[in-house]
């Protein structure tokens, strides 16, 4: 039985929130009406207050019906903890209520709230199955579920926003002081407001203007690090917008400037340059462009440095790029195998790096390097220590390819089996793929023993 007091408190909190929103809206409307040159921020805040008020009103009707019912946990949004009215799936496969995840993304977040994985894209796919199950659950209890509240098109810029946008772009062609001021504001606006990200997508010239100060800097004069950081981070914000990915990557100066940032920026700039390459590489055509540019070597160098702030974004970028086979060869030639094994041995970002190593194991030279670098004991150690099924699966997949390629490594695997029964345990309790690979290794071990006895 649900606790009515909890729902009463929830309704009271919503009522208080609605009152607060109305007061804020009245204040903002007065500012907008009284000031002919009111800021874009005031208009944007007023629009956000209206949307929030509308969302509260849309939930009100069904809240009264739900107050005496315990809602199944799987029907609640992981962000709002409320019954989902418009469930959508993000790139990681997790489901959220559309208004909650849109608010999360609009705030400039690039990760999945539940898994903390970096999102390769921000497309929201309706989860029709969960929506249907929720509707059936409500109908069976006589609850009327309100229709999803669809927000206004947040990509649609107001006239004031367009004017501000053009003014800031003009400053990017001015003196260094105005360039720095404009770049800082564009960084903030493109993080907070999808309308500004969309404005850049309307014209390639806008992106060229943004990058102008970095393109024009002479090598001998050095790079203004603050300006570089703000411009590169703005570029990252633009690349998050799915409609911009192709446009941004195909502008000739973009990838070279991201590579310059990977070489010589602050650690925040280098991290954001890697993140921009990751988001751009969501498109296969961009994976090819980035791979051919030589950026892979710079990403692997940054991975090798091991700065904690940059590791997740760098590993994500390398993983995404290696989805296409031609980039795996580039990663192997650029030293990825040695760097990755060293990090795994030191327990650094094991999950992400094992996934890359498993992908690289389809490349013959990568397997040869793994054999030379004593990857077998390292991977067996991970299998013994980790409780993560996916990590065990990636380890055994690589080990299987190694023992197929180099039969001398079967001795180490046999010793492991005799001491810890690591492979046998995985053959019984691993994922379906892990079981197949583990059984494949066990068959080879048994075959080797039989051949020895026969001889």
């Amino acid at each position: 039985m649900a606790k009515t007091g909890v729902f009463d408190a929830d309704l009271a909190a919503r009522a208080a929130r609605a009152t607060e929103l109305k007061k804020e809206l009245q204040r903002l409307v007065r500012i907008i009406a009284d000031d002919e040159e009111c800021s874009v921020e005031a208009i944007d805040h007023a629009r956000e207050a209206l949307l929030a008020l509308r969302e509260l009103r849309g939930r009100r009707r069904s809240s009264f019906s739900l107050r005496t019912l315990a809602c199944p946990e799987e029907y609640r949004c992981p962000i709002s903890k409320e019954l989902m009215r418009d469930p959508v799936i993000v790139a990681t496969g997790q489901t959220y209520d559309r208004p909650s995840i849109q608010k999360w993304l609009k705030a400039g977040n690039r990760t999945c709230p539940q898994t903390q994985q970096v999102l390769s894209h921000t497309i929201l796919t309706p989860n029709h199955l969960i929506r249907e199950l929720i509707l059936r659950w409500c109908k069976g209890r006589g609850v009327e579920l309100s229709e999803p509240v669809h927000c206004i098109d947040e990509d649609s810029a107001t006239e004031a926003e367009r004017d501000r946008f053009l003014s800031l772009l003009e400053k990017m062609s001015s003196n260094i002081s105005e360039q720095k001021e404009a770049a800082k504001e564009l960084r903030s606006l493109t993080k907070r407001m999808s309308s500004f990200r969309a404005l850049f997508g309307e014209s390639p010239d806008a992106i060229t203007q943004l990058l102008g100060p970095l393109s024009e800097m002479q090598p001998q004069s050095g790079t203004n690090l603050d300006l570089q950081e703000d411009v590169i981070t703005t570029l990252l914000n633009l690349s998050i917008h799915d409609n911009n990915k192709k446009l941004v990557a195909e502008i000739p100066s973009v990838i070279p400037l991201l590579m310059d940032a990977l070489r010589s920026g602050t650690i925040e700039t280098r991290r954001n340059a890697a993140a921009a390459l990751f988001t751009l590489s969501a498109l296969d055509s961009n994976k090819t462009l980035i791979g051919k540019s030589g950026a892979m070597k710079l990403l692997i160098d940054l991975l090798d440095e091991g700065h904690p702030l940059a590791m997740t974004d760098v590993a994500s970028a390398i993983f995404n790029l290696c989805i296409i086979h031609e980039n795996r060869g580039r990663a192997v030639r650029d030293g990825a195998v040695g760097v990755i094994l060293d990090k795994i041995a030191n327990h650094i970002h094991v999950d992400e790096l094992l996934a890359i190593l498993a992908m690289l194991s389809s490349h013959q030279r990568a397997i040869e390097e793994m054999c030379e670098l004593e990857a077998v004991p390292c991977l067996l150690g991970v299998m013994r220590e980790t409780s993560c099924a996916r990590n065990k699966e990636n380890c055994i997949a690589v080990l299987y390819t190694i023992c197929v390629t180099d039969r001398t490594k079967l001795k180490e695997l046999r010793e492991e089996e005799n001491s810890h029964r690591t492979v046998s345990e995985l053959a019984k309790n691993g994922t379906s793929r892990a079981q197949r690979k583990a059984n494949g290794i066990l068959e080879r071990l048994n075959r080797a023993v039989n051949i020895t006895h026969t001889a």
Side-chain angles (χ1 to χ4, degrees), residues 434-454:
Q435 287 180 0
R436 286 197 310 274
K437 299 295 183 182
N439 280 316
I441 290 175
L442 292 173
E443 285 173 13
R444 287 177 176 274
L445 288 174
N446 291 333
R447 200 181 307 152
V449 168
N450 291 336
I451 290 170
T452 303
H453 287 328
T454 303

Side-chain angles (χ1 to χ4, degrees), residues 133-148:
L133 290 172
I134 291 171
L135 286 171
R136 287 183 191 175
W137 181 84
C138 290
K139 187 177 179 181
R141 288 155 182 77
V143 174
E144 186 180 354
L145 187 68
S146 62
E147 285 299 308

Side-chain angles (χ1 to χ4, degrees), residues 62-357:
S62 59
S63 294
F64 285 103
S65 302
L66 289 168
R67 60 188 301 185
T68 57
L69 295 173
C71 172
E73 194 61 33
E74 60 269 27
Y75 297 165
R76 294 182 185 275
C77 173
I79 299 173
S80 68
K81 308 300 180 188
E82 295 179 354
L83 184 71
M84 292 186 284
R85 286 156 177 78
D86 191 6
V88 292
I89 304 168
V90 299
T92 56
Q94 306 297 317
T95 296
Y96 301 94
D97 204 13
R98 186 184 294 273
S100 298
I101 192 64
Q102 281 181 332
K103 185 176 180 182
W104 170 266
L105 295 171
K106 188 185 174 191
N109 295 299
R110 295 180 292 106
T111 55
C112 170
Q114 276 188 296
T115 66
Q116 296 306 306
Q117 287 178 267
V118 180
L119 296 171
S120 59
H121 60 77
T122 54
I123 296 169
L124 303 178
T125 306
N127 191 329
H128 296 297
L129 176 60
I130 290 294
R131 169 77 177 163
E132 182 62 29
L133 290 172
I134 291 171
L135 286 171
R136 287 183 191 175
W137 181 84
C138 290
K139 187 177 179 181
R141 288 155 182 77
V143 174
E144 186 180 354
L145 187 68
S146 62
E147 285 299 308
V149 178
H150 295 290
C151 300
I152 2 180
D153 181 9
E154 293 181 348
D155 289 353
S156 180
T158 64
E159 203 58 44
E161 289 169 349
R162 286 180 181 278
D163 290 344
R164 185 62 186 149
F165 174 71
L166 293 172
S167 169
L168 290 169
L169 283 182
E170 194 174 332
K171 284 185 177 181
M172 294 303 291
S173 303
S174 186
N175 58 60
I176 187 69
S177 175
E178 292 210 329
Q179 286 175 351
K180 290 172 73 172
E181 180 187 324
K184 190 170 291 296
E185 188 170 348
L186 284 168
R187 173 180 180 172
S188 172
L189 290 169
T190 51
K191 178 179 181 179
R192 293 187 296 106
M193 299 170 68
S194 61
S195 56
F196 272 83
R197 296 194 286 272
L199 280 170
F200 271 101
E202 291 177 10
S203 168
D205 292 342
I207 299 172
T208 305
Q209 282 179 270
L210 168 71
L211 300 175
L214 300 186
S215 302
E216 293 162 9
M217 283 180 180
Q218 298 300 318
Q220 62 271 22
S221 65
T223 302
N224 186 295
L225 294 179
D226 290 340
L227 177 59
Q228 183 190 40
E229 182 178 316
D230 287 333
V231 170
I232 293 298
T233 307
T234 303
L235 198 58
L236 164 62
N237 295 340
L238 302 184
S239 68
I240 292 170
H241 197 82
D242 290 308
N243 292 339
N244 288 346
K245 293 185 191 298
K246 184 175 174 63
L247 171 70
V248 170
E250 291 181 356
I251 292 173
S253 59
V254 166
I255 294 176
L257 286 174
L258 288 173
M259 291 170 65
D260 286 344
L262 284 172
R263 289 188 194 95
S264 60
T266 64
I267 191 59
E268 182 70 17
T269 303
R270 298 173 79 195
R271 169 196 184 181
N272 289 342
L277 290 172
F278 165 69
T279 57
L280 291 172
S281 65
L283 299 182
D284 283 349
S285 59
N286 289 352
K287 289 181 180 72
T288 302
L289 273 178
I290 295 166
K292 288 179 177 177
S293 71
M296 182 72 79
K297 178 70 167 70
L298 298 171
L299 289 168
I300 291 168
D301 288 346
L302 186 51
L303 184 72
D304 193 22
E305 287 180 33
H307 198 291
L309 279 178
M311 291 294 285
T312 297
D313 291 302
V314 174
S316 298
I318 294 171
F319 178 88
N320 240 23
L321 290 170
C322 287
I323 289 172
I324 62 172
H325 190 76
E326 64 202 68
N327 282 340
R328 295 176 200 175
R330 292 183 176 109
V332 173
R333 286 194 298 274
D334 290 335
V337 174
V339 171
I340 289 171
L341 283 173
D342 178 65
K343 298 303 174 193
I344 291 172
N346 287 287
H347 304 92
I348 298 170
H349 282 265
V350 173
D351 299 10
E352 298 94 329
L353 297 181
L354 274 175
I356 299 171
L357 198 67

